[in-house]
Amino acid sequence: MNETTHITARHRDYTGSKIGMWLFLVTELCLFFGPVLLFAMNDIKYPTEFHAASGALDRTLGTLNTVILLTSSLTAALSVASVRRGNNSLAVFLLMMTIALGGVFLFNKYFEWGEKIAHGIYPGSPGLAKLSAGEAVFYGLYFFTTGLHALHVLAGMALLSVMSVLTAAGKVDKNDFIKLENSALYWHLVDIVWIYLFPLFYLIS
Amino acid sequence: MEITGNSYLQNEGRYNGIFSWIFSTDHKRIGILYLVSILSFFAAGVSLGFLMRLEFLTRGATIMEAATYNSVFTLHGVIMIFFFIIPVTPSVFGNFFLPILIGAKDVSFPKLNLLSWWFYLAGAALALLSLVLGPADTGWTFYAPYSLRTGTYVSIAVFAVFILGFSSILTGINFVTTVHRLRAPGMTFWRMPLFVWAIYATAWIQIIATPILGVNLLLVIAERVFGIGVFDPAKGGDPILYQHLFWIYSHPAVYIMILPGMGIISEVLPVFARKVVFGYRAIAYSTIGIAAVGSLVWGHHMFVSGYSYTAGVIFSMFTFLVAIPSAIKVFNWVGTLYKGSIEGGTPFLFALAFIFLFSIGGLTGLILGALSLNVHLHDTYFVVSHFHYIKFGGAGFAFFAGLHYWSPKMFGRLYNKKTANWSCLILFSGFNMLFFPMLILGMEGMPRRYYDYLPQYANLHLISIVGSWVLVSGLIIMFANLIYSVFKGERAGANPWGGATLEWQVPSPPPKENFETIPEVSRGPYDFTDLRK
């Protein structure tokens, strides 16, 4: 209980910051719960159309992206571990790698979307209107959900860039690394959301 | 305002004047920022409501055309719900009193706290922008597919609400963390004041439910801008799913509105009855119970939307279940008064008004929760009256009770008690005169959201309109009295009501960091033994 006075005295509360971050991650999961629920309901309504549309997605590229994002989560976790061991330069390198992998993920995503758009499949397109209702809804959800996820990837990359600057400047070190740790947690969230989206859109049908 | 001593109203920060407020991370100053900005919106919402009533003075267009009326009821709903009643009690009293009540110097994340107020302002600016460009005419629910097709600036209004969601979420995260991390030594969970319990449960709802509304609103924007077609039946989408996602948030949001109000009532009654609250644990558990069961009743807004009969029965059952924890609270409040040595004060009068109005709101809610009756009453004035009894009669009156209970602490000045008592009586009469006829109108079949009516409804509408005038006069008297007191009122001592919770142990207004030394808590919040001596 003396902890309380301690916390207010130095205005720094490691556990408190972690609780706050986890609560924020809960809100992010709830955010993605919406589209996933819509997907489930529509999948029940249009089983064959969803099957067809899902088969038309590029599974190889999807799998590749999953591997890339999982690896980036590893490098993010390792960067926290190296800061805790006092090795800031290694941490900066690992953060850079994480950001780069995030970039590769988005690059692949760009090609994946580009290929669909080249075939005239994008929200509001005449090509989409020619498809069956179920497939149109599938692609609507596909673009919305992966787009929302891509925005989170971008946000995560921005966050990690700030962290690598702070780590390089020594503002984050082995005595005070909560900012970096929370940012890495955010990156893991981006990863874990994808781990659910990937089978949902590409595999289950 | 004349300021003495080391109060938070004194300026010692980095900035001067207005900047010492809008860049302050002091939870008390942020509470006041919210108070001022939220009450400005309340004034706008009341004016719109007043005009809507006035429109019914004669049949046909009286002061506005049908299209204007659509925009006015949409704005009234959006402002009152998202800008006033959802944030008001958590953001004003939660910010100001939560840390003091648990014996902390501030919330866990003071900077995030300030950021959440800035998000509120950003949302407000966007809402005003949509007002200038051409206000939405969808109703505050933004139901698809109309919200996808109407030519008004729905996207901006929807985005404003989305931004407000950030404000709500950040406040929720802050409060949950604060309650877990910053309680004073000896302040166990079972020694927390019931207001803290209420804010804590509310914060959880804010965290879990708000993002779902957020993504739903994003989908509406994506639909309007890119045409993704998920809610558009013409493109294979399903508008019923919009309603589901909307109410998954917006029903729990009703509890975001009412739970903190119930918390205020649970603070006021024991103090004015000079008696420990009856069934402390029952009230605390029922708070959690309402938060939990309340998350499973959203479907009762959709009984006639066209889902399966089984779903209707289940949602109806949960709706009846949620009445149990609410009733537990009402019985415990009344039980608290039994054999208490009651001292009538303005906060107490407002609390009594709350219990009466909330009971009417709750009981009419059960009528609406019954499947068969709902078909008859759906989208009538009965519904309008019911939710005003809950939100205004319940949450609103509880907020007024809180204002009269805590304003001496916040500003260190007492208001004129006689005027305050009269304003309570006028508000109470005006409120019932305005909304009770609506229950009858609804049963007779007057539909909501119409700007015109059949001749047989004229008399009841007239009573209701006069009621709105009485209500508005009551509001003017009440706020005039409070605002006057803030500047010119008699000085309030540290403990004008004889409360036993921690906020009454610090001077009025509270000093900058609340406590010189963090207090040691050794007993529950409603132990008045020391005060009797």
Side-chain angles (χ1 to χ4, degrees):
Chain A
M1 273 302 162
N2 286 329
E3 201 184 13
T4 318
T5 31
H6 193 51
I7 292 165
T8 40
R10 36 174 209 136
H11 285 287
R12 196 188 289 165
D13 176 11
Y14 177 78
T15 314
S17 304
K18 281 288 266 299
I19 292 177
M21 191 63 200
W22 277 104
L23 289 173
F24 178 70
L25 297 183
V26 168
T27 70
E28 290 281 14
L29 287 179
C30 292
L31 186 81
F32 280 95
F33 169 78
V36 169
L37 185 72
L38 289 177
F39 185 95
M41 297 310 291
N42 280 298
D43 191 30
I44 294 167
K45 195 172 164 192
Y46 302 113
T48 45
E49 290 89 338
F50 266 48
H51 180 76
S54 168
L57 294 182
D58 191 336
R59 278 188 194 170
T60 325
L61 213 51
T63 315
L64 184 65
N65 258 350
T66 311
V67 174
I68 289 169
L69 220 47
L70 277 172
T71 317
S72 75
S73 237
L74 175 70
T75 53
L78 287 176
S79 78
V80 179
S82 11
V83 162
R84 291 178 91 147
R85 282 176 175 72
N87 193 343
N88 270 30
S89 48
L90 179 62
V92 172
F93 172 74
L94 286 162
L95 280 174
M96 294 293 185
M97 240 177 103
T98 314
I99 297 164
L101 286 167
V104 175
F105 175 89
L106 287 180
F107 188 69
N108 287 342
K109 200 87 234 158
Y110 168 78
F111 274 106
E112 214 183 322
W113 275 32
E115 196 254 354
K116 286 280 166 239
I117 292 167
H119 283 84
I121 295 174
Y122 54 92
S125 71
L128 202 60
K130 272 183 234 147
L131 293 176
S132 69
E135 281 178 283
V137 171
F138 180 91
Y139 283 116
L141 279 172
Y142 166 78
F143 280 109
F144 179 79
T145 317
T146 54
L148 190 63
H149 178 256
L151 285 180
H152 280 77
V153 175
L154 274 178
M157 285 164 69
L159 196 62
L160 292 180
S161 310
V162 175
M163 284 309 130
S164 48
V165 172
L166 289 180
T167 314
K171 294 254 170 64
V172 168
D173 57 23
K174 66 179 172 191
N175 299 317
D176 180 18
F177 51 87
I178 183 67
K179 285 194 196 87
L180 177 66
E181 198 176 358
N182 278 343
S183 310
L185 275 177
Y186 185 81
W187 191 257
H188 296 321
L189 170 101
V190 169
D191 184 27
I192 210 153
V193 167
W194 178 254
I195 287 174
Y196 280 90
L197 293 187
F198 173 61
L200 204 61
F201 282 99
Y202 294 76
L203 303 181
I204 298 175
S205 52
Chain B
M1 225 171 314
E2 188 196 337
I3 304 142
T4 50
N6 173 33
S7 115
Y8 77 99
L9 295 166
Q10 254 173 340
N11 182 28
E12 279 171 20
R14 216 167 358 143
Y15 305 101
N16 286 319
I18 181 96
F19 294 108
S20 71
W21 286 86
I22 62 174
F23 293 132
S24 169
T25 53
D26 181 343
H27 68 100
K28 296 181 287 298
R29 288 202 164 199
I30 294 172
I32 303 290
L33 287 178
Y34 269 117
L35 182 69
V36 173
S37 36
I38 289 177
L39 285 182
S40 320
F41 271 97
F42 180 61
V46 168
S47 316
L48 290 167
F50 180 80
L51 292 178
M52 278 160 73
R53 277 289 85 203
L54 206 56
E55 163 57 30
F56 283 78
L57 203 53
T58 62
R59 293 183 60 212
T62 310
I63 53 167
M64 59 183 102
E65 291 298 326
T68 321
Y69 186 79
N70 289 349
S71 293
V72 170
F73 76 64
T74 303
L75 272 174
H76 173 76
V78 169
I79 288 176
M80 283 305 205
I81 288 178
F82 295 113
F83 288 86
F84 173 64
I85 203 77
I86 287 180
V88 70
T89 304
S91 296
V92 177
F93 295 135
N95 261 320
F96 201 105
F97 286 106
L98 177 92
I100 307 183
L101 284 169
I102 60 171
K105 291 189 167 180
D106 208 314
V107 291
S108 272
F109 310 114
K111 283 180 195 159
L112 272 190
N113 205 13
L114 178 64
L115 182 67
S116 83
W117 180 73
W118 278 100
F119 272 128
Y120 179 88
L121 265 203
L126 275 174
L128 292 177
L129 179 69
S130 88
L131 183 66
V132 176
L133 291 173
D137 58 352
T138 54
W140 74 277
T141 50
F142 305 116
Y143 266 15
Y146 182 67
S147 62
L148 313 178
R149 290 176 191 163
T150 170
T152 50
Y153 286 84
V154 173
S155 296
I156 296 177
V158 161
F159 195 63
V161 175
F162 179 77
I163 298 283
L164 282 188
F166 274 106
S167 162
S168 195
I169 287 172
L170 291 181
T171 305
I173 290 176
N174 224 332
F175 288 171
V176 169
T177 315
T178 307
V179 168
H180 278 286
R181 295 297 297 167
L182 296 182
R183 279 170 292 128
M187 174 64 77
T188 59
F189 262 75
W190 294 116
R191 281 184 191 153
M192 291 194 316
L194 286 163
F195 179 70
V196 176
W197 270 104
I199 290 289
Y200 178 72
T202 308
W204 272 109
I205 309 178
Q206 285 175 303
I207 291 170
I208 291 171
T210 315
I212 298 179
L213 176 74
V215 79
N216 204 26
L217 297 175
L218 281 184
L219 278 159
V220 168
I221 296 173
E223 195 116 4
R224 285 184 70 91
V225 178
F226 303 110
I228 60 161
V230 174
F231 296 135
D232 192 345
K235 294 176 181 166
D238 188 353
I240 302 287
L241 287 177
Y242 172 85
Q243 294 187 19
H244 275 293
L245 283 188
F246 182 82
W247 289 113
I248 284 176
Y249 165 78
S250 295
H251 194 80
V254 174
Y255 300 105
I256 299 182
M257 304 168 202
I258 195 75
L259 278 178
M262 292 168 155
I264 294 175
I265 301 304
S266 310
E267 293 301 313
V268 169
L269 289 179
V271 169
F272 285 87
R274 292 288 181 277
K275 191 164 157 281
V276 66
V277 74
F278 184 80
Y280 169 90
R281 287 203 179 205
I283 295 184
Y285 277 128
S286 65
T287 301
I288 305 294
I290 289 177
V293 183
S295 307
L296 302 171
V297 302
W298 77 85
H300 68 215
H301 296 268
M302 302 166 57
F303 283 149
V304 299
S305 296
Y307 58 31
S308 78
Y309 180 70
T310 321
V313 170
I314 291 170
F315 281 126
S316 178
M317 184 194 77
F318 277 120
T319 306
F320 287 124
L321 280 183
V322 84
I324 296 173
S326 313
I328 287 175
K329 281 177 186 288
V330 173
F331 291 132
N332 278 309
W333 290 325
V334 177
T336 305
L337 299 181
Y338 181 64
K339 287 196 172 167
S341 29
I342 291 171
E343 195 179 301
T346 318
F348 182 72
L349 293 184
F350 272 104
L352 288 187
F354 167 92
I355 294 180
F356 182 81
L357 299 174
F358 175 74
S359 299
I360 294 187
L363 292 170
T364 50
L366 286 177
I367 295 173
L368 287 167
L371 276 174
S372 51
L373 284 167
N374 187 280
V375 175
H376 177 67
L377 296 171
H378 204 94
D379 269 350
T380 64
Y381 267 46
F382 194 87
V383 179
V384 176
S385 178
H386 155 71
F387 68 69
H388 279 94
Y389 267 98
I390 293 282
K391 290 176 189 172
F392 193 172
F397 271 70
F399 173 69
F400 299 155
L403 270 183
H404 287 92
Y405 181 59
W406 277 320
S407 76
K409 176 57 65 182
M410 294 166 88
F411 302 105
R413 303 272 190 172
L414 278 173
Y415 45 83
N416 182 324
K417 289 178 188 172
K418 216 172 189 176
T419 320
N421 289 349
W422 274 106
S423 73
C424 178
L425 186 69
I426 297 169
L427 274 174
F428 181 75
S429 332
F431 181 89
N432 281 302
M433 207 172 154
L434 168 55
F435 290 109
F436 201 84
M438 288 195 183
L439 287 175
I440 306 166
L441 277 170
M443 278 191 281
E444 289 178 354
M446 173 75 205
R448 68 190 283 204
R449 292 182 171 173
Y450 280 33
Y451 92 118
D452 199 2
Y453 58 95
L454 293 171
Q456 65 260 38
Y457 301 132
N459 288 336
L460 285 169
H461 270 306
L462 186 65
I463 298 174
S464 169
I465 293 166
V466 176
S468 77
W469 299 342
V470 178
L471 183 71
V472 170
S473 350
L475 285 174
I476 292 171
I477 296 170
M478 182 182 82
F479 280 113
N481 186 30
L482 284 173
I483 293 168
Y484 180 82
S485 81
V486 168
F487 297 98
K488 295 274 162 66
E490 200 185 309
R491 288 216 178 278
N495 195 354
W497 315 120
T501 35
L502 285 176
E503 83 272 37
W504 304 113
Q505 294 172 23
V506 297
S508 314
K512 196 145 265 169
E513 294 219 296
N514 305 340
F515 304 96
E516 274 179 29
T517 47
I518 298 287
E520 293 257 356
V521 182
S522 53
R523 54 166 172 235
Y526 309 110
D527 187 336
F528 297 100
T529 30
D530 270 7
L531 293 158
R532 284 213 192 95
K533 284 171 196 163

